[in-house]
């Protein structure tokens, strides 16, 4: 069955159980309101990539939602290692979700609830080699989601609707614009290359601070590529020399078609560019050095 759950273990509120047997209350605020936060941490060769950065972002999201972090760094690390060890696969995606907990339905945040903690790790589905070689198609759309994109919330219906726009057109991502400026994609950060420099949008409440934002700054310094975060207009996006996606699942990925037109100029139009190539190679090195 295509939609059958994988035969793996998960962690739910202090106990390990088969994923298919895990149960929560229908009154859990994560189910009723999407009242929670999540993280997904890449695992390479059984080692978690940029663990501390992911856990720090989870802590920030929970603090903004006024949900107490139910575990210390060491407890999260122990949980991750246990889940990773239970899966006979070196490359995985470890998922963490924390909701406010169970209470009678009321929009007001109840006090002193015990958070619900759900977590599992599953085998990675690698980006297809053809996409790595040729790049991917994306479409653009108005950013109609809520304005607290800085919170990695489980309330993802806006992102689901945005992603479906591209899925319906056979594209890989929906790149979004708000009032004429780039924000992010439905499940990725978006970068452009202009005159050899990598440009990304600045931190704000409207975009998620991707873990790869700081990582790409480090990688640009390593490979000698200029890096800057500043507002990027719609015109700059469509005139870019290169467009690149970054996320935990995509790592870095070249966008070679946007709204049906080739990205870039001259002989490189519609092809992955040289800055992408440098960053992809540097990213592979970082995976070996920055995992625990």
């Amino acid at each position: 069955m295509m939609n059958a759950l994988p035969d793996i273990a998960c962690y739910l509120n202090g106990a390990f159980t088969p994923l298919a047997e895990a149960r929560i209350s229908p009154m859990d605020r994560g189910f009723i309101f999407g009242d929670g936060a999540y993280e997904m941490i890449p695992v390479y060769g059984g080692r978690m990539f940029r663990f501390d950065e992911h856990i720090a972002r989870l802590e920030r999201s929970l603090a903004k939602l006024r949900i107490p972090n139910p575990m210390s760094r060491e407890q999260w690390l122990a949980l991750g290692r246990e889940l990773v060890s239970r899966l006979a696969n070196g490359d995985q995606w470890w998922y963490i979700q924390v909701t406010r907990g169970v209470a009678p339905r009321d929009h007001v945040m109840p006090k002193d609830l015990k958070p619900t903690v759900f977590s599992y790790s599953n085998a990675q589905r690698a980006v297809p080699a053809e996409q790595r070689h040729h790049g991917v198609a994306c479409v653009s759309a108005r950013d109609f989601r809520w304005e607290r994109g800085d919170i990695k919330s489980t309330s993802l219906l806006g992102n689901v609707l945005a992603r479906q726009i591209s899925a319906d057109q056979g594209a890989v991502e929906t790149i979004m614009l708000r009032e004429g400026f780039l924000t992010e994609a439905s499940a990725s950060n978006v970068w452009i290359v202009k005159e050899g420099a990598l440009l990304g949008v600045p931190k704000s409440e409207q975009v998620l601070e991707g873990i790869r934002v700081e990582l790409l700054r480090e990688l640009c310094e390593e490979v000698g590529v200029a890096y800057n975060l500043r507002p990027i207009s719609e015109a700059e996006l469509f005139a870019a020399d290169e467009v690149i996606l970054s996320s935990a699942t995509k790592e870095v990925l070249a966008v070679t078609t946007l709204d049906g037109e080739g990205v870039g100029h001259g002989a490189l139009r519609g092809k992955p560019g040289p800055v992408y190539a440098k960053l992809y190679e540097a990213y592979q090195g970082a995976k070996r050095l920055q995992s625990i």
Side-chain angles (χ1 to χ4, degrees), residues 45-205:
R47 294 162 61 88
M48 290 166 278
F49 184 57
R50 295 191 65 107
F51 166 83
D52 285 315
E53 289 84 351
H54 278 280
I55 294 300
R57 186 172 65 179
L58 176 64
E59 176 72 42
R60 292 195 298 272
S61 292
L62 291 173
K64 291 171 184 177
L65 294 173
R66 293 198 270 176
I67 297 174
N69 188 342
M71 294 193 189
S72 66
R73 175 196 180 275
E74 289 70 27
Q75 288 171 320
W76 283 122
L77 181 60
L79 173 60
R81 285 179 168 162
E82 176 63 27
L83 286 168
V84 167
S85 71
R86 286 172 177 244
L87 193 67
N89 188 299
D91 293 347
Q92 305 174 30
W93 290 325
W94 172 31
Y95 180 83
I96 301 169
Q97 178 171 306
V98 181
T99 76
R100 196 176 305 277
V102 177
R105 189 181 188 280
D106 189 331
H107 282 67
V108 175
M109 297 176 182
K111 295 181 179 179
D112 303 321
L113 288 188
K114 182 178 180 181
T116 297
V117 180
F118 168 67
S119 187
Y120 71 98
S121 194
N122 200 10
Q124 284 192 23
R125 298 181 305 278
V127 172
E130 182 178 356
Q131 291 185 357
R132 286 275 176 231
H133 182 71
H134 295 291
V136 299
C138 292
V139 298
S140 66
R142 175 179 61 88
D143 192 345
F144 49 78
R145 305 164 307 153
W146 75 322
E147 295 191 359
R148 291 308 306 270
D150 60 313
I151 301 173
K152 198 167 178 66
S153 166
T154 57
S155 304
L156 286 172
L157 185 56
N159 298 69
V160 168
L161 291 171
R163 176 65 182 95
Q164 195 61 40
I165 292 171
S166 51
D168 288 343
Q169 299 181 56
V172 165
E173 258 288 24
T174 304
I175 295 176
M176 290 177 287
L177 299 130
R178 193 187 297 263
E179 298 179 351
F181 287 89
L182 175 66
T183 52
E184 57 190 353
S186 63
S188 315
N189 289 112
V190 183
W191 306 80
I192 70 168
V193 175
K194 183 176 181 180
E195 298 177 351
L198 185 73
L199 306 178
V201 300
K203 297 178 184 179
S204 77
E205 289 189 345

